[in-house]
Amino acid sequence: MKLQLDDSRRLTGKGLLWDSPGAVIDAFVEGIDKQRVVDTWQHYVRQLLDAVGWDKENTTSRIFEDGVTVALSAPFDALYAACEVNEAAWQMTVEHLTGQSGDDNALAQVIATLRQMIADEVNPQLLALIAAAKAHQVPWLTDDDEFSLGFGQSCEVWSCDNLPELDEIQWHKYRSIPVAFITGTNGKSTSVRLASAMVAQSGLRCGVTSTDFIRVGEHIIDRGDYSGPGGARMLLRHPEVEVGLLEVARGGILRRGLPIEWVDCALITNVAEDHLGQYGINTLEALTETKFVVAKGVNEQGILVLNADDAGVVRFGALQNKRKCWFSIDADNPTLVEHLRQGGTACYVRDGMMVYHDSKGGQEVVAVKDVPMTFNGAARHNVQNALGAMGLAMALGLTVSDVAQALKAFRSDAADNPGRGNVFEVNGATVVMDFAHNEHSMAAIVATANNMPSTRKWLMLSAAGDRSDEDMRVMTAAGMRLNPDKMVAYDLPSYRRGREVGEIPRRIGEFAMACGLAGEKLLHCDGPVSGAQTILSELQPGDLALLLVLSERDEVVKLIEQAQRG
């Protein structure tokens, strides 16, 4: 029998399981009926909730292929204590199912400890402020240290240890700003950057959170993964932000829930197999359901922008009771056609033109050939990204002119879209740099590269160590569709994540040779910089090099720029 706790954490926003704050546990279960495990946990967690005075709180669960997820709701001001309650109930469940005898004295001590933890953590004034903010329809944010009202210029922040009295607050002072969620497996960062260019074109100062940085206008506040609630709080409290674009990743949704309660619109770019096997998400369907959590945050008047070319998105999108804007590279896409027939909104390509279509009819926005990031339509995935960003921008109230000008100006280079489909000319050779890190994104960038003329082809790739061998195999197979004349497999020292030194490039090389690559065409390098140096030193006019750079991007760009200068 296996009853192994995998992760215990707080839930602070709307999530996959429900919309309540609380605590959640993921656990691996083998050799016993999973429903029996859930029922036993339910018995003990109910006992503890009653004992600590949380008899009105609720519970929920989810059974997945190799385990269970169990969760309880809790007051927002006592979520650390809620985790302790959940962990205690889980431990009692394990002891019961494995035949360990319980100790009444020990249980009494556990209950006493939990009660004290709750008493130490509770902050009734914080709960009162949150309730009042909701009643006044004023946006609020809170974390362990601070509470705030309003977004952008109207935002005011207090320490959680020194909160204002309710009768002191002038609620009319605090306002919201237009905010959007952007999620999906691939294209999130590109869509965020493109949509922010459209907002900037309108004259408003855009704030962006992403897996790369947090930025206000042209100023990068900090670099790193800011796709969770912490990044959203930092951005929306910034006094200069006038529009907020929040990249929302799968991990953030599962770890904490949505970063804020309500947004004006949300974009789902696509959903493909990626990061499966974490937090009990083992299938594409479960991953799609996770991505669609962003729909819970779209307000009643808001719009959900969805990819009609993605079968899973179409299936889950049909279940959403939200206003929708579908986008497709095919004007005759059945989902899109039916949506327009019913008076809906859509973005599509017809006769080489990107079109925005609403109740007033279709408006031609810009020719695909005039959008540099599409490479005259060769980068089909960037045509989709452009359409999705267009739908999002229009949902935020921008104009067709704003969208068109931004699309014409946005370039797939290291300045506008670093690391995503960047193209460089190096002494007569073409170098393409991208972040492709899964089968779906690899297939997209390889298809783009295959549409570019070349005499010889180079391929450089790697993978993070927490990717399964099967993930590496299918990604490598997608890369081999480039039919490279030479390939460099490189190590990722900072992302080995349990793999041995050299194991990642060795495995990738084996998978490449299984796809037909001759051994003499394969090179191994100890990192992306040395891999890029190797390729750049041997490039000849007419060559095409596809560099999949997963780390040290800035260093690789410097190498390419040095090679351009000779």
Side-chain angles (χ1 to χ4, degrees):
M1 183 190 302
K2 180 179 182 180
L3 296 166
Q4 178 186 336
L5 191 152
D6 180 47
D7 193 71
S8 174
R9 59 195 181 276
R10 296 172 297 149
L11 292 176
T12 57
K14 300 171 183 176
L16 178 63
L17 296 173
W18 57 11
D19 299 347
S20 301
V24 62
I25 278 175
D26 302 315
F28 296 116
V29 176
E30 289 181 7
I32 185 172
D33 179 68
K34 297 182 183 69
Q35 187 59 54
R36 182 184 172 199
V37 174
V38 170
D39 291 344
T40 304
W41 166 84
Q42 175 68 43
H43 167 77
Y44 285 114
V45 78
R46 195 77 262 167
Q47 181 179 343
L48 291 178
L49 289 172
D50 291 344
V52 300
W54 284 356
D55 53 300
K56 299 292 193 300
E57 299 299 339
N58 298 312
T59 61
T60 191
S61 62
R62 174 177 175 267
I63 293 176
F64 52 90
E65 291 76 8
D66 53 353
V68 300
T69 297
V70 291
L72 58 95
S73 67
F76 207 101
D77 63 339
L79 298 184
Y80 288 103
C83 291
E84 296 295 331
V85 171
N86 206 9
E87 289 171 26
W90 177 255
Q91 182 59 34
M92 293 164 71
T93 299
V94 171
E95 291 174 357
H96 175 85
L97 293 174
T98 56
Q100 301 176 45
S101 59
D103 185 331
D104 290 341
N105 291 330
L107 176 59
Q109 182 58 49
V110 167
I111 292 171
T113 300
L114 292 174
R115 286 174 174 168
Q116 186 59 54
M117 290 186 66
I118 293 170
D120 292 342
E121 191 178 354
V122 294
N123 189 337
Q125 181 68 2
L126 175 64
L127 294 186
L129 284 167
I130 292 173
K134 290 181 177 180
H136 285 86
Q137 297 183 319
V138 168
W140 57 275
L141 298 167
T142 190
D143 51 47
D144 292 346
D145 302 313
E146 295 178 324
F147 172 80
S148 61
L149 293 172
F151 292 161
Q153 188 176 24
S154 74
C155 180
E156 187 170 1
V157 183
W158 297 269
S159 165
C160 286
D161 295 328
N162 188 27
L163 294 170
E165 296 298 326
L166 287 176
D167 57 8
E168 298 175 358
I169 296 176
Q170 301 177 49
W171 294 101
H172 67 276
K173 290 172 43 180
Y174 307 110
R175 298 178 301 279
S176 186
I177 61 174
V179 184
F181 288 147
I182 297 94
T183 194
T185 300
N186 297 305
K188 294 187 298 296
S189 294
T190 295
S191 298
V192 166
R193 293 166 180 169
L194 185 51
S196 70
M198 295 173 181
V199 172
Q201 182 66 40
S202 76
L204 295 172
R205 185 174 289 106
C206 189
V208 167
T209 65
S210 72
T211 51
D212 286 331
F213 51 65
I214 180 168
R215 188 183 71 198
V216 177
E218 296 303 315
H219 178 53
I220 294 179
I221 305 300
D222 199 5
R223 294 188 182 274
D225 187 348
Y226 280 100
S227 60
R233 288 191 296 268
M234 188 183 301
L235 180 74
L236 296 175
R237 286 171 175 167
H238 196 287
E240 296 180 6
V241 174
E242 295 175 308
V243 177
L245 302 179
L246 309 180
E247 181 176 337
V248 183
R250 165 209 57 90
I253 293 173
L254 292 169
R255 281 193 298 270
R256 291 285 182 265
L258 294 180
I260 63 174
E261 194 168 22
W262 297 110
V263 294
D264 300 281
C265 50
L267 165 65
I268 300 179
T269 60
N270 50 64
V271 185
E273 291 188 0
D274 193 33
H275 290 295
L276 297 182
Q278 299 177 5
Y279 302 110
I281 304 303
N282 299 325
T283 66
L284 180 59
E285 182 176 12
L287 181 60
T288 306
E289 185 179 2
T290 300
K291 297 289 187 181
F292 265 86
V293 169
V294 297
K296 295 183 177 184
V298 176
N299 63 38
E300 289 185 5
Q301 295 77 37
I303 296 177
L304 189 57
V305 184
L306 301 174
N307 187 349
D309 297 327
D310 186 304
V313 171
V314 169
R315 186 168 62 255
F316 273 82
L319 305 176
Q320 308 303 314
N321 185 25
K322 300 285 183 180
R323 296 172 62 202
K324 304 182 189 80
C325 172
W326 288 99
F327 66 92
S328 172
I329 57 176
D330 179 9
D332 296 321
N333 178 290
T335 298
L336 186 144
V337 169
E338 176 60 21
H339 185 62
L340 289 176
R341 189 187 67 79
Q342 296 179 10
T345 303
C347 301
Y348 54 85
V349 176
R350 185 184 295 280
D351 298 329
M353 295 294 298
M354 292 187 182
V355 178
Y356 174 73
H357 197 131
D358 60 9
S359 59
K360 300 175 184 177
Q363 303 178 68
E364 292 186 346
V365 178
V366 64
V368 172
K369 66 180 179 59
D370 292 334
V371 180
M373 66 184 290
T374 72
F375 301 113
N376 201 26
R380 289 170 61 87
H381 63 293
N382 272 343
V383 177
Q384 289 183 321
N385 288 334
L387 292 169
M390 178 195 302
L392 193 75
M394 297 302 291
L396 286 169
L398 273 61
T399 68
V400 165
S401 176
D402 294 332
V403 171
Q405 292 305 312
L407 285 171
K408 290 177 183 178
F410 191 87
R411 300 189 177 276
S412 192
D413 59 23
D416 284 348
N417 199 20
R420 270 71 176 181
N422 302 159
V423 178
F424 306 84
E425 293 299 321
V426 181
N427 302 323
T430 300
V431 177
V432 181
M433 186 177 76
D434 198 81
F435 185 69
H437 60 291
N438 53 44
E439 179 187 15
H440 186 271
S441 56
M442 181 70 77
I445 194 63
V446 165
T448 300
N450 277 334
N451 284 324
M452 297 178 175
S454 63
T455 52
R456 291 191 309 168
K457 295 179 181 178
W458 293 77
L459 175 64
M460 184 181 89
L461 60 83
S462 188
D466 59 354
R467 300 281 173 163
S468 68
D469 283 358
E470 178 60 15
D471 288 340
M472 290 188 191
R473 185 192 68 77
V474 297
M475 184 191 69
T476 303
M480 292 305 296
R481 295 174 198 158
L482 186 70
N483 193 24
D485 295 281
K486 281 198 175 181
M487 173 179 152
V488 171
Y490 66 91
D491 207 354
L492 273 176
S494 57
Y495 292 94
R496 290 194 186 113
R497 293 170 178 168
R499 300 269 184 173
E500 297 177 359
V501 175
E503 181 183 353
I504 294 171
R506 177 176 58 80
R507 296 297 287 157
I508 288 175
E510 291 170 353
F511 295 136
M513 287 189 289
C515 291
L517 184 75
E520 63 269 18
K521 294 184 176 182
L522 177 64
L523 300 172
H524 289 175
C525 288
D526 60 9
V529 173
S530 61
Q533 284 176 325
T534 298
I535 292 175
L536 291 169
S537 68
E538 298 194 32
L539 280 183
Q540 299 175 7
D543 284 359
L544 183 145
L546 177 56
L547 311 182
L548 288 312
V549 181
L550 305 185
S551 69
E552 301 178 68
R553 181 184 67 210
D554 292 344
E555 291 80 357
V556 173
V557 170
K558 289 178 182 177
L559 280 178
I560 296 172
E561 291 173 343
Q562 289 171 4
Q564 287 177 316
R565 294 192 294 268

